[in-house]
Amino acid sequence: MLHDVTGDDALALLRTWGETVQSAGELWRALPAPEWTASGQRDHAVMTRLDTLARTMHRSQLRTGWPGDGPPDARLLHMAETFTRAADLIERYHRPQQSPHAPGAEVRADVEATRVRVLHVLNVSAHAIGVAVRRHVNDESVRSHVSRNDKVRRAVPRGQEALARLDVFERLTTHVGPRLARASVGEHVDGPPRGSRLPEALVRWDIQAHRAAAYAPTPATLRVVSRAQADLASAVGVVVRAGQATGQLDAATVQRVTPAVEATVTAWSGLADRWQALTSPSTRRVDQDLLTASGELQAALLEITHDKTTVADPQTIAQRVDVRDVAHTLQEGLAAAADLAHVVGDAARSPTLVAPARAVLAAHRSRDDTSPATRPPRSEQLASSVDPRDVQVNRPVALTAPVRVDLVSAADTTTTAAGAAMSATSMLERSTAGPAAVATSERQAASRRQAQRVVQMVLPLPSAAWAR
C-alpha cells in the first residue's frame, strides 16, 4: 500500500478501514492472555482504543453519508480476511483449559511478536490511508473552487476530519516501529520445507509470467511481472554474496556476477515504476493465477534470503540450503528472465496496449518536465496529448508517442541488462559445485523438466476477461 496509493483510492480505503481494525481486534482477543508487563499493558490499552476509534469513525461515516456506498479496497479487505482466519484458527485449535502447563517461553515470544506485528500493520496502513486521503482532499479543494456541487464541497471538510482521526491512529501505534525488529526475534519461522519448492516456484512463475505478458497484457500485469523479476535478481545477489562469504563460491565469480545482477535489479525496478505510473484503482486488477505464482516465488526466495525482518547473514543462508545448488537454480531463473524481457518489450510496443487517460496524461507531462530540452512547442504538446473528454471520465486510451517511446527505451535497457546477467551468471553452472551438488542438481533439473511439462498440460490459457 505504501508503494501504491492515490487520491482515487481514498474513499474505498475509508470504507474498508473499520472492518480491518475490527478484524485485527478479533485476532488480538483470540491470542492467549498477554504478559502483564508495562509494554503488554500499553499494547492492550492501545488496541482497545484503536477498536473504539474505528467504531466511532464508522458511525460518523454512516451519519454524514461520506464516503458513502461503493466498492471496498481489495487490499484492506484481504488483510481483514487474513486477521479473521487467523483468529478462527486460534479459537479452533488453542485449548488452554486442556493443558495443565503454562505456555513455554518460545510460545510466549511468538505471541508477543504477533501482537507487535498486528499493531505495526495498523500503523503502516493508517499512514498509507492518510496519504491517499490527503491527496484526495487536495484534489477536491481544487475542484471545489470551480464547482457548485454540494457533494464536492462536502468532501473537503469530511476528508480533513478523516485525516485528523487517522493521525490519531498513527500516533497511538508509532511506538511499535522500533520494537518490531526486536519482537520478531521470538517469531517461530520454519526453514525451507523442501528442496524442490524454489525450482517448482520458478517453473510455475515462468509459465504464468510468459502467458500474462503475451496474452492481453495490461500495465498492472506487466508491473507485477517486472517487480517479481527485480526481486528474483536481488535474491541472486544475496545468495552469491553468501556463497563468497562461506567459501562455496570463488571471489572471481562473485565479482563478475554482482555488477550484472545489480544492473538487472535497477532496470527491472525502473520498468516496474513506469508500469505502475500507468495504472489506476480501476485497472489494478491482475489475474489471480499470476498473483499466486508471484506470491509463491517471493515466499520461496524470502525463506532462503531473509531472517525475520532483515536479510539473513551468510552463515544462516548456508545452514538452510546448499548455496551452490540454489545459485545454479536462480541462474536458470535469470536465463528465463532474458526471454521474458523480450516479451515485456513486445507488449510495450503493442499498439493495442491501453491505460487510463489520467495516468497517460500524467506520464506524458512527467516526461516533458524531465526533458525540457526536447520538449515540443506548446501547440504540439496539446495535439499529442490526451483528449480532455477521455481524461474527464478516465477512459482507457492508447499510449501517447512520448510515453510509448519511454517505455520501449526502458524495456530495451532491461532486455540488455537481463542478457548481460544471463551471460555473467553462466559461471554459476553445475561445474562450480561439488560432486554431491552436481548429482542433486541433475536430479532436480530432471524434476523441473517433468514439472514444467505437467504444469503446461494443467494450466489453462488465460482469458481476456480478467484483463478488463
Side-chain angles (χ1 to χ4, degrees):
M1 290 178 61
L2 292 179
H3 281 290
D4 182 20
V5 288
T6 66
D8 294 334
D9 292 309
L11 301 184
L13 289 169
L14 289 172
R15 293 188 194 103
T16 324
W17 176 235
E19 182 178 351
T20 305
V21 178
Q22 182 180 355
S23 300
E26 293 174 358
L27 173 57
W28 186 279
R29 290 186 291 272
L31 291 168
E35 295 288 326
W36 290 112
T37 60
S39 60
Q41 291 179 2
R42 180 182 184 186
D43 290 345
H44 187 72
V46 166
M47 190 65 233
T48 303
R49 293 181 66 184
L50 294 180
D51 203 359
T52 303
L53 283 170
R55 293 175 187 275
T56 56
M57 191 173 179
H58 179 65
R59 284 196 294 268
S60 297
Q61 291 175 356
L62 294 177
R63 176 176 52 81
T64 60
W66 189 89
D69 295 332
D73 183 80
R75 296 163 296 182
L76 281 183
L77 192 62
H78 176 68
M79 292 161 63
E81 292 170 350
T82 304
F83 283 143
T84 301
R85 174 163 172 76
D88 291 343
L89 290 172
I90 293 173
E91 292 174 349
R92 183 183 306 173
Y93 294 108
H94 178 57
R95 298 288 185 269
Q97 66 274 13
Q98 297 179 4
S99 175
H101 305 290
E106 293 183 355
V107 174
R108 293 198 302 272
D110 195 19
V111 171
E112 175 64 17
T114 302
R115 287 197 175 86
V116 174
R117 276 201 180 275
V118 169
L119 292 176
H120 186 257
V121 167
L122 296 180
N123 174 261
V124 177
S125 301
H127 177 76
I129 298 171
V131 172
V133 173
R134 186 171 290 105
R135 292 178 179 176
H136 178 75
V137 169
N138 292 337
D139 294 340
E140 295 300 313
S141 298
V142 174
R143 292 179 59 193
S144 65
H145 289 298
V146 295
S147 175
R148 296 182 178 180
N149 190 315
D150 290 339
K151 185 176 180 180
V152 174
R153 294 178 177 275
R154 187 177 53 182
V156 175
R158 298 304 180 208
Q160 292 172 342
E161 179 184 346
L163 271 177
R165 291 187 167 187
L166 289 168
D167 185 59
V168 175
F169 271 97
E170 191 173 351
R171 289 178 182 276
L172 286 175
T173 53
T174 300
H175 69 283
V176 303
R179 290 176 51 197
L180 180 61
R182 297 194 300 270
S184 64
V185 174
E187 281 184 327
H188 174 77
V189 178
D190 293 323
R194 61 186 189 278
S196 61
R197 182 180 188 182
L198 179 58
E200 291 175 2
L202 283 169
V203 168
R204 181 170 288 272
W205 166 251
D206 186 39
I207 295 172
Q208 291 291 355
H210 272 83
R211 287 182 174 179
Y215 294 93
T218 64
T221 295
L222 298 173
R223 175 189 64 83
V224 172
V225 171
S226 302
R227 188 68 66 190
Q229 292 303 131
D231 292 340
L232 174 61
S234 179
V236 174
V238 174
V239 169
V240 297
R241 286 191 291 271
Q244 180 185 12
T246 57
Q248 298 187 50
L249 295 175
D250 61 273
T253 299
V254 177
Q255 289 175 2
R256 179 183 176 185
V257 168
T258 300
V261 167
E262 291 177 348
T264 305
V265 173
T266 302
W268 278 114
S269 298
L271 189 58
D273 291 340
R274 285 172 170 81
W275 292 123
Q276 174 63 52
L278 292 174
T279 61
S280 72
S282 60
T283 61
R284 193 183 287 128
R285 187 179 178 188
V286 177
D287 179 31
Q288 187 58 46
D289 291 335
L290 179 67
L291 287 179
T292 301
S294 174
E296 175 62 14
L297 176 62
Q298 186 181 45
L301 294 173
L302 288 177
E303 69 182 8
I304 295 173
T305 61
H306 279 63
D307 183 17
K308 309 291 176 25
T309 59
T310 60
V311 177
D313 59 81
Q315 289 70 29
T316 301
I317 295 176
Q319 291 173 1
R320 293 174 176 174
V321 294
D322 185 325
V323 174
R324 290 172 295 190
D325 185 55
V326 170
H328 170 62
T329 301
L330 294 175
Q331 183 270 334
E332 291 182 344
L334 285 186
D339 178 67
L340 186 58
H342 286 282
V343 178
V344 174
D346 291 340
R349 293 178 174 85
S350 173
T352 61
L353 184 67
V354 296
R358 295 172 189 170
V360 174
L361 181 61
H364 185 97
R365 289 174 173 173
S366 175
R367 189 177 185 277
D368 286 344
D369 292 340
T370 55
S371 54
T374 59
R375 184 183 303 169
R378 181 65 179 172
S379 59
E380 186 176 343
Q381 286 188 56
L382 293 174
S384 63
S385 192
V386 185
D387 191 319
R389 292 170 296 183
D390 294 331
V391 175
Q392 184 177 9
V393 297
N394 205 22
R395 185 180 294 115
V397 298
L399 306 182
T400 62
V403 173
R404 189 178 300 279
V405 167
D406 185 49
L407 277 174
V408 170
S409 175
D412 290 342
T413 301
T414 304
T415 301
T416 303
M422 178 182 68
S423 176
T425 55
S426 63
M427 300 179 68
L428 301 174
E429 291 287 350
R430 288 189 296 273
S431 58
T432 63
V438 170
T440 302
S441 295
E442 290 175 348
R443 291 195 299 271
Q444 291 183 348
S447 175
R448 282 192 295 272
R449 288 192 294 270
Q450 176 63 22
Q452 188 164 8
R453 287 194 293 270
V454 172
V455 172
Q456 287 174 335
M457 290 187 293
V458 172
L459 290 177
L461 288 175
S463 65
W466 58 263
R468 297 193 295 268

